[in-house]
Amino acid sequence: MADLKSLSGDAYLGLSHGYAAATAGLAYGAARGSEAARGYGASGPGGDLPAAPAPHAVAVAVAVAESSGEQSGDEDDAFERRRRRRRGRGRGPGGAADARRRPREQRSLRLSINARERRRMHDLNDALDGLRAVIPYAHSPSVRKLSKIATLLLAKNYILMQAQALDEMRRLVAYLNQGQGLAAPVAAAPLAPFGQAAVYPFSAGAPLPCPDKCTAFPGTPSALCKHCNEKP
DNA sequence: TAGGCCATCTGGTCCT
DNA sequence: AGGACCAGATGGCCTA
């Protein structure tokens, strides 16, 4: 539970009881427990906020950074060193011996395909890193980074949480506007099912952005903004 | 030592 | 034909 301290209160509140079913597995539970006990998604309780140091993660990150792009010159050496270190890894059916028996041309093609696939996976991992960077969890060197699956599930829950918060905020703004005897465009629109208007809150039919750029809630009239409160 | 996570290789399929 | 995408297999690293 110590890791909870590194979360913003709102984020944790949303994740802890906002979407119980979908979030249970990722609800920032206890510090990293048994790997076997780690549940994903709605599989039940059991947090997935690892707390242990992550030397492996760092090593992986370095390896990823090193092996991005084309291999040439020094990069070739580094690449070969990694290949040797990871000897035998992932050969699949056939194995290295078969690979060596192949004609040089085919082997060359295979290597090029492998490199491309590696690059693709690195791009995917970069995107996942970008996702980790914007979702609320303990971004600390002493905390192991989220696994891929945990990152995706947490991101999903975070999006849902933000959407719900936005929806509630819009309702509140509408309520405040009504209280001042003003027409509330937001309230006039039927409340769309969660996940529609909440996720795409500024689509067709939404009021125009405030000319005064009250950007707190773009597209939503603010009770605190003089322009939003001006009658047409 | 078992289990989780991961990177890599590989072959297949689909698309341009 | 070449590239993107995918899933299976394999083995290394790490933690409990």
Side-chain angles (χ1 to χ4, degrees):
Chain A
M1 212 32 133
D3 293 319
L4 295 178
K5 293 175 183 168
S6 57
L7 295 170
S8 78
D10 288 346
Y12 171 61
L13 283 176
L15 287 168
S16 60
H17 56 69
Y19 302 90
T23 326
L26 281 170
Y28 291 123
R32 179 185 181 78
S34 153
E35 297 256 28
R38 303 171 78 184
Y40 292 124
S43 58
D48 195 286
L49 190 62
H56 174 52
V58 174
V60 167
V62 169
V64 165
E66 283 178 347
S67 55
S68 304
E70 303 294 331
Q71 281 82 34
S72 62
D74 290 344
E75 284 186 1
D76 264 340
D77 292 338
F79 182 64
E80 280 309 312
R81 278 197 297 275
R82 282 191 302 279
R83 277 180 62 85
R84 281 193 291 273
R85 183 157 45 84
R86 294 179 172 283
R87 74 195 186 289
R89 169 182 284 192
R91 295 285 177 203
D98 277 0
R100 277 192 296 272
R101 276 195 295 272
R102 288 195 196 104
R104 185 173 298 182
E105 198 171 311
Q106 278 190 13
R107 184 61 189 155
S108 167
L109 176 64
R110 191 61 248 181
L111 288 177
S112 134
I113 293 173
N114 290 351
R116 212 164 45 234
E117 175 67 7
R118 223 178 300 130
R119 223 174 303 140
R120 196 181 70 84
M121 295 310 295
H122 291 167
D123 288 346
L124 184 61
N125 288 336
D126 286 346
L128 274 168
D129 283 340
L131 192 55
R132 285 188 190 98
V134 297
I135 57 179
Y137 81 103
H139 297 280
S140 158
S142 63
V143 175
R144 185 200 271 191
K145 76 175 181 181
L146 289 177
S147 70
K148 293 179 177 182
I149 180 73
T151 300
L152 292 174
L153 291 172
L154 186 54
K156 185 196 87 173
N157 293 331
Y158 184 52
I159 290 169
L160 292 175
M161 185 194 72
Q162 295 291 351
Q164 189 188 46
L166 182 59
D167 194 44
E168 287 175 3
M169 195 65 72
R170 295 180 71 202
R171 289 175 202 237
L172 178 60
V173 168
Y175 173 78
L176 290 175
N177 283 343
Q178 276 183 330
Q180 294 182 5
L182 296 173
V186 174
L191 289 173
F194 177 73
Q196 293 179 18
V199 174
Y200 306 106
F202 311 123
S203 53
L208 292 173
C210 172
D212 201 27
K213 297 186 171 59
C214 57
T215 54
F217 307 102
T220 301
S222 166
L224 304 176
C225 172
K226 60 183 168 77
H227 288 296
C228 290
N229 286 325
E230 280 175 2
K231 292 186 179 178

